[in-house]
Amino acid sequence: MSASLSFVDDRPSGVALVLECSTANGSVALLRDDAVIGRSSVAMGAATDDALFPAVATLLAEAGIAAADVTRIICGAGPGSFTSLRIAASVAKGLAHATGAALLAVPSMLLAAATVNVPGRYLVHADALRGERYVLPAIIDEAGLVVGDGDVRRVGGAELVGVLGDRVPLCVTGGPPHDVGRPVVPDAGGLVRVRGWWRVPAEDLAAWEPSYGRLAEAQVKWEDSHQRPLPPSAPSAAAT
């Protein structure tokens, strides 16, 4: 078994770098085995300077770890901000390519649920634009570990209460204010509370992209005005 996928007694070993940038409140974390040894917040968004790569470099330097020593890079897979997710994916893929580290992807909404400590059945929801919400059912077990209890899907805002059932709502911050559920922010350091995160299969560097949830607003507007799909090479593909 390669070092990048190693584990000891079904526990992760080695150094892992985590990038979570599905909202404007991004974060990076450094893990050794299954413990967080460093974490930093990163402001994301089209109106901010690119601070993600410098934050990664600083985190590694402060821990005295070379990039080549990182065996796994885990990227929050969204859904969320198109621009922020794309930046994080580019950094994660570039580092994985340069270092030979395995690239793993974890739903960002699980990293939001991992900020809650109380065992129970939850429904994480987030703004999906155009009056819709992303929802992900999740369970926090008695050990405080989080596991997804279904797939991320998109529902109309009016449907949220109907799909909630007996689950406790958790509302990912960002977008218009929403009063259903406790506010939560996906956090890179929460990965250690996602059950079995190290067993997630490595992604294909050439093919993997985050789950943007829907097309970028700029692309939607371009296609609406031109009444045809946006050509892949067109500069208008940049997200807003």
Side-chain angles (χ1 to χ4, degrees):
M1 179 174 290
S2 68
S4 63
L5 297 177
S6 63
F7 59 88
V8 177
D9 296 329
D10 200 29
R11 295 170 67 108
S13 65
V15 177
L17 175 67
V18 191
L19 311 178
E20 166 43 46
C21 300
S22 61
T23 73
N25 299 305
S27 55
V28 295
L30 198 59
L31 279 55
R32 188 187 297 278
D33 302 334
D34 57 355
V36 177
I37 61 172
R39 184 202 168 280
S40 180
S41 297
V42 185
M44 302 296 296
T48 62
D49 293 332
D50 181 10
L52 183 59
F53 189 82
V56 169
T58 299
L59 199 63
L60 289 170
E62 290 177 346
I65 294 174
D69 294 330
V70 175
T71 55
R72 296 181 183 88
I73 297 173
I74 301 91
C75 194
S81 165
F82 192 103
T83 299
S84 298
L85 284 171
R86 189 169 62 175
I87 291 171
S90 297
V91 170
K93 292 170 76 171
L95 287 171
H97 179 76
T99 63
L103 175 65
L104 283 61
V106 173
S108 296
M109 296 172 83
L110 277 187
L111 296 178
T115 63
V116 176
N117 296 315
V118 181
R121 288 161 49 83
Y122 293 87
L123 186 77
V124 188
H125 65 96
D127 182 38
L129 304 177
R130 304 171 206 163
E132 295 182 319
R133 307 292 295 175
Y134 296 118
V135 297
L136 173 67
I139 293 174
I140 300 178
D141 65 20
E142 292 299 322
L145 298 179
V146 181
V147 60
D149 196 26
D151 297 325
V152 176
R153 62 192 180 100
R154 201 168 65 226
V155 302
E159 301 175 61
L160 180 61
V161 173
V163 301
L164 184 60
D166 63 348
R167 296 179 182 272
V168 177
L170 299 174
C171 179
V172 177
T173 60
H178 204 283
D179 59 2
V180 177
R182 167 181 168 177
V184 289
V185 179
D187 189 271
L191 182 71
V192 294
R193 293 191 53 231
V194 175
R195 192 167 70 192
W197 64 264
W198 61 93
R199 301 191 201 103
V200 174
E203 300 289 346
D204 181 338
L205 291 184
W208 181 75
E209 292 290 340
S211 173
Y212 296 115
R214 60 164 78 246
L215 297 176
E217 287 294 290
Q219 181 170 344
V220 171
K221 292 176 181 178
W222 192 96
E223 292 181 352
D224 283 346
S225 64
H226 292 78
Q227 292 298 298
R228 60 186 176 90
L230 179 72
S233 60
S236 299
T240 57

